[in-house]
Amino acid sequence: MTLSSDLLKQFARRQSIGSNEPGATPLIAFANEDEFVSAAVLSDSAELNDILERAINFALPNANSTPEVSFLSLSASLESILTFHRRQDEYKILPPEDFTELERDLKKWLKQHRVLAHEPGKRALVYEKFRELNRFPMSHIFKIFCEYYSLDLTDLWPVIGKHAEWPLTEIRHRLVHGDPFPSRPAEAMECAEKHLRWVVERMLLSVLGWPIGRSSVSFEYLANGSLVHGWRNERARFA
C-alpha cells in the first residue's frame, strides 16, 4: 500500500475533511505541491504506510470540530506518528525472554507482599499493567523522534514536561479522561490546538522528507503570528 497523491495534496492544502476547499493558509505553497507529492518518502511496508495514512487523516482539519475534538484528533495523529517510528526499531526495555522471567518473579513477590498477599483481585489488576513496564514511555519515544529528525520545536508550546506546567500531553490526558479543568478559557484551548497542529505538521513533514523551511510551519513563517509568542500567557490560564 502507498499513500494516495490525493491524500498528500489534502494534507499540503490543509483541506478540511469533507470539503473541496483548501485551508486558509496551505501548508505547502501551491507551486510546490506536485514536487511535495512526488518527493514524499514512504516506507516499503504496507503496515507502516497504513499507520502513516491514519496519522495524516487524523491531522486533517475538520471545520465542524470544536477545539477540544480537534485537539484529540491531533493527539491521535501524534501518537500514530510515534507508532510509525517505533515500529521501525526495537523499543523494548528487555528482550521478551528476559521480561517473561522478570514478570514471573514479580508475580511471586507481589503474591507475598503484605499489601497484596490477601488481595487476589487487586493483584490481578496490577498484573494487567505488567506489559506496559517493558515499553518505552511515550515521552521517551518523542524525544528519540525529535533527535532522529533533528526536529526543533523550541518556539512552540511544549509537548511533554511536568504536569503542573501544562504541556500539551497533560491537556490531552485531561480531555481523554474527562477530568475537569480548574480553568479552560476558550482562547487558551484554541491556542493549544494551534500549537499541537503545528507540532504534528512539522513531525509529518519530517517523516515525509520535506524541508520544514519550505512550509507554513517554519520558524520564520510562524514568527509573524501572535499565537506563537503568546502561548506562555495562554498556558498560564489553564492553571
Side-chain angles (χ1 to χ4, degrees), residues 83-94:
T83 298
F84 174 87
H85 186 67
R86 189 173 61 243
R87 292 283 176 87
Q88 298 176 72
D89 207 338
E90 183 59 45
Y91 288 106
K92 299 289 184 183
I93 297 172
L94 293 173

Side-chain angles (χ1 to χ4, degrees), residues 50-86:
D50 181 59
I51 294 171
L52 187 57
E53 178 179 330
R54 291 203 307 272
I56 293 174
N57 274 307
F58 281 132
L60 295 178
N62 188 327
N64 297 318
S65 290
T66 64
E68 288 85 354
V69 171
S70 178
F71 192 95
L72 290 176
S73 183
L74 289 166
S75 296
S77 179
L78 188 151
E79 294 194 28
S80 295
I81 298 167
L82 295 182
T83 298
F84 174 87
H85 186 67
R86 189 173 61 243

Side-chain angles (χ1 to χ4, degrees), residues 3-234:
L3 300 183
S4 71
S5 59
D6 286 344
L7 179 62
L8 290 170
K9 287 180 179 179
Q10 271 188 285
F11 176 61
R13 297 170 183 173
R14 284 183 171 140
Q15 194 168 304
S16 297
I17 296 172
S19 170
N20 293 320
E21 297 298 323
T25 304
L27 181 62
I28 307 295
F30 182 75
N32 299 326
E33 189 178 280
D34 289 337
E35 182 186 354
F36 167 71
V37 171
S38 62
V41 176
L42 303 178
S43 171
D44 294 330
S45 164
E47 179 188 12
L48 290 178
N49 284 331
D50 181 59
I51 294 171
L52 187 57
E53 178 179 330
R54 291 203 307 272
I56 293 174
N57 274 307
F58 281 132
L60 295 178
N62 188 327
N64 297 318
S65 290
T66 64
E68 288 85 354
V69 171
S70 178
F71 192 95
L72 290 176
S73 183
L74 289 166
S75 296
S77 179
L78 188 151
E79 294 194 28
S80 295
I81 298 167
L82 295 182
T83 298
F84 174 87
H85 186 67
R86 189 173 61 243
R87 292 283 176 87
Q88 298 176 72
D89 207 338
E90 183 59 45
Y91 288 106
K92 299 289 184 183
I93 297 172
L94 293 173
E97 60 275 12
D98 290 346
F99 186 75
T100 298
E101 179 183 350
L102 177 63
E103 183 177 4
R104 183 173 59 248
D105 291 344
L106 283 173
K107 285 182 178 180
K108 289 179 182 178
W109 179 75
L110 287 172
K111 197 170 184 178
Q112 299 170 8
H113 194 280
R114 176 186 64 81
V115 175
L116 294 173
H118 304 293
E119 296 283 356
K122 291 181 179 179
R123 281 204 311 273
L125 294 175
V126 174
Y127 293 165
E128 289 185 17
K129 289 287 187 178
F130 273 2
R131 286 295 163 184
E132 296 179 23
L133 299 177
N134 203 33
R135 299 183 188 129
F136 279 84
M138 176 268 193
S139 58
H140 188 76
I141 300 297
F142 180 76
K143 290 177 183 176
I144 290 174
F145 180 94
C146 292
E147 290 171 2
Y148 181 85
Y149 287 103
S150 300
L151 181 59
D152 190 350
L153 301 171
T154 53
D155 58 326
L156 301 179
W157 192 317
V159 173
I160 57 178
K162 297 177 181 178
H163 298 321
E165 295 177 354
W166 286 93
L168 296 175
T169 49
E170 177 65 14
I171 298 174
R172 177 259 179 204
H173 175 81
R174 296 290 186 105
L175 289 174
V176 166
H177 293 283
D179 291 344
F181 285 56
S183 173
R184 192 173 65 186
E187 296 83 0
M189 192 67 231
E190 289 170 6
C191 180
E193 188 271 343
K194 288 291 186 186
H195 277 255
L196 183 55
R197 177 168 301 284
W198 296 331
V199 167
V200 166
E201 289 175 344
R202 282 186 185 177
M203 292 174 72
L204 283 169
L205 290 177
S206 297
V207 170
L208 293 168
W210 186 261
I212 291 171
R214 297 181 64 189
S215 74
S216 60
V217 287
S218 67
F219 273 76
E220 294 76 16
Y221 190 96
L222 293 181
N224 297 319
S226 60
L227 281 177
V228 172
H229 304 290
W231 66 263
R232 290 176 180 82
N233 292 332
E234 296 297 345

